[in-house]
Amino acid sequence: MNKTSYFQEAIDTVENLTCEEQKMLIQIIQNRLHEEKRAELIEEIKQAEKEYKEGKFKKGSVKDLMAELDL
């Protein structure tokens, strides 16, 4: 089975749930996505702190940042 057919199978399964079950599923998925984003953010912060401690950072103004981003 390819990815598209798995996705379609998931949609078909969800459509067979009651309205209340679908609402519960949406809440569960949203909670898991929030947890995943939170975990990613924590890792990014840890990496930034590590780089800061190692002196791998640049100081500058917003203007400097915008110039570096070429905006």
Side-chain angles (χ1 to χ4, degrees), residues 14-55:
V14 170
E15 287 177 345
N16 288 322
L17 298 173
T18 66
C19 186
E20 192 60 36
E21 290 170 330
Q22 288 180 19
K23 288 177 185 178
M24 286 173 45
L25 179 60
I26 289 169
Q27 189 63 44
I28 290 167
I29 292 171
Q30 285 176 334
N31 288 342
R32 289 184 180 181
L33 288 172
H34 289 239
E35 289 173 14
E36 187 176 321
K37 288 179 185 177
R38 189 177 303 118
E40 289 173 2
L41 181 57
I42 288 169
E43 286 304 313
E44 288 176 10
I45 290 169
K46 285 179 182 179
Q47 182 65 31
E49 288 174 337
K50 179 181 178 236
E51 290 176 7
Y52 178 79
K53 288 177 183 176
E54 293 172 353

